Amino acid sequence: MMEILGCRLDPIDTDAATDAITGFVRERRGAQIVTLGTEMVVYAQKDAAFRQIVNACTLSLCDTIGLLAVARSRGASLRERVTGVELIERIGARAASDGLRLFLLGGAPGIAQRAALTLQTRYPHLQIAGARDGYFADDESVRVVEEIRASGADVLFAGLGSPRQEVWLARHLRATGCGAGIGVGGSFDVISGNVRRAPVVWRRMGVEWLYRLIKEPKRWRRQLALPQFVYLIAAESMRSRFSKRRA
């Protein structure tokens, strides 16, 4: 475990994360997993409650290239990012062989259902306990929790967007009865085919964010988090060097 700008990060790859999460499910841990990105780390600087949620998660995984670069510079032997899409795919494959049941929560109407059908096509033995969109008000959460609990789901994927999905899981995951709950952002859009993912070469170059920005220019405000993140890391590094010199 390491810390970046006050946010916990567990520097493990997708395979190790999949093993850990399926272990939590078998133990019925009610484990919350966050796929941490630079935008979330920047947001956590001004929202202490959100930062506490991230740091209290059972696993905090490296989801973006900025975090990956910083983690490597600080000695982590991370080979890759651990994205929501890859995590859903790997856990879906494992669930199909182990008989685990998945629930997909989030996205626009019909998207979670389409993502569930795609996963079942890829993994014929996969059991989907349920799928529903994320268009519900806070006062409807009790009903949503009851729906998930009644489904008998083992793993809950929450694609509600950050910080909503992290806050929702922190408040309600235990009551769903799921062994693990994972925030996966807009992953259902990608898996369902509603949004085209960047080609592999873009992902290998670490510029998937740029591909998304070109395809969806309205995301430009979200990308402002990257220069903020770089500035905060540089400022933290300068403070650390100054403290060492004074010592």
Side-chain angles (χ1 to χ4, degrees), residues 28 30 105 141 144-156 168-169 171-181:
R28 309 307 298 179
L105 173 67
S141 288
V144 174
V145 167
E146 290 174 351
E147 179 183 343
I148 298 169
R149 189 175 188 87
S151 75
D154 300 297
V155 181
L156 171 61
W168 197 91
L169 287 172
R171 291 175 178 171
H172 303 293
L173 176 59
R174 295 279 181 171
T176 67
C178 295

Side-chain angles (χ1 to χ4, degrees), residues 17-29 31 94 98 100 179-180:
T18 301
D19 290 341
I21 293 167
T22 51
F24 299 151
V25 172
R26 293 190 189 97
E27 296 166 7
R28 309 307 298 179
R29 288 271 295 273
R94 185 72 62 86
D98 292 1
L100 302 177

Side-chain angles (χ1 to χ4, degrees), residues 15-205:
D15 287 337
T18 301
D19 290 341
I21 293 167
T22 51
F24 299 151
V25 172
R26 293 190 189 97
E27 296 166 7
R28 309 307 298 179
R29 288 271 295 273
Q32 182 175 350
I33 292 89
V34 59
T35 48
L36 191 67
T38 51
E39 186 178 357
M40 296 163 72
V41 172
V42 170
Y43 182 80
Q45 305 309 298
K46 61 183 179 182
D47 191 322
F50 177 72
R51 186 168 65 250
Q52 288 174 355
I53 288 173
V54 169
N55 291 339
C57 284
T58 308
L59 275 182
S60 178
L61 305 171
C62 180
D63 184 28
T64 57
I65 192 67
L67 281 180
L68 180 63
V70 174
R72 285 176 171 172
S73 72
R74 296 182 179 180
S77 57
L78 267 176
R79 295 181 290 109
E80 60 186 4
R81 297 180 297 138
V82 184
T83 70
V85 173
E86 264 92 24
L87 213 48
I88 292 173
E89 293 280 2
R90 298 287 183 88
I91 292 175
R94 185 72 62 86
S97 62
D98 292 1
L100 302 177
R101 294 164 58 85
L102 309 183
F103 196 106
L104 280 62
L105 173 67
I111 296 297
Q113 289 83 350
R114 284 165 54 189
L117 287 173
T118 299
L119 290 170
Q120 284 183 308
T121 300
R122 291 177 185 165
Y123 313 110
H125 298 293
L126 178 62
Q127 299 178 61
I128 300 294
R132 66 152 294 153
D133 64 67
Y135 284 60
F136 59 90
D138 288 343
D139 59 7
E140 297 178 276
S141 288
V142 172
R143 181 169 56 81
V144 174
V145 167
E146 290 174 351
E147 179 183 343
I148 298 169
R149 189 175 188 87
S151 75
D154 300 297
V155 181
L156 171 61
F157 290 112
L160 302 172
S162 185
R164 186 188 178 202
Q165 62 196 16
E166 286 77 34
V167 174
W168 197 91
L169 287 172
R171 291 175 178 171
H172 303 293
L173 176 59
R174 295 279 181 171
T176 67
C178 295
I182 309 161
V184 293
S187 299
F188 300 158
D189 278 315
V190 176
I191 291 173
S192 68
N194 188 52
V195 170
R196 183 182 176 186
R197 194 176 186 190
V200 174
V201 64
W202 287 68
R203 284 180 260 158
R204 286 178 178 169
M205 291 171 63

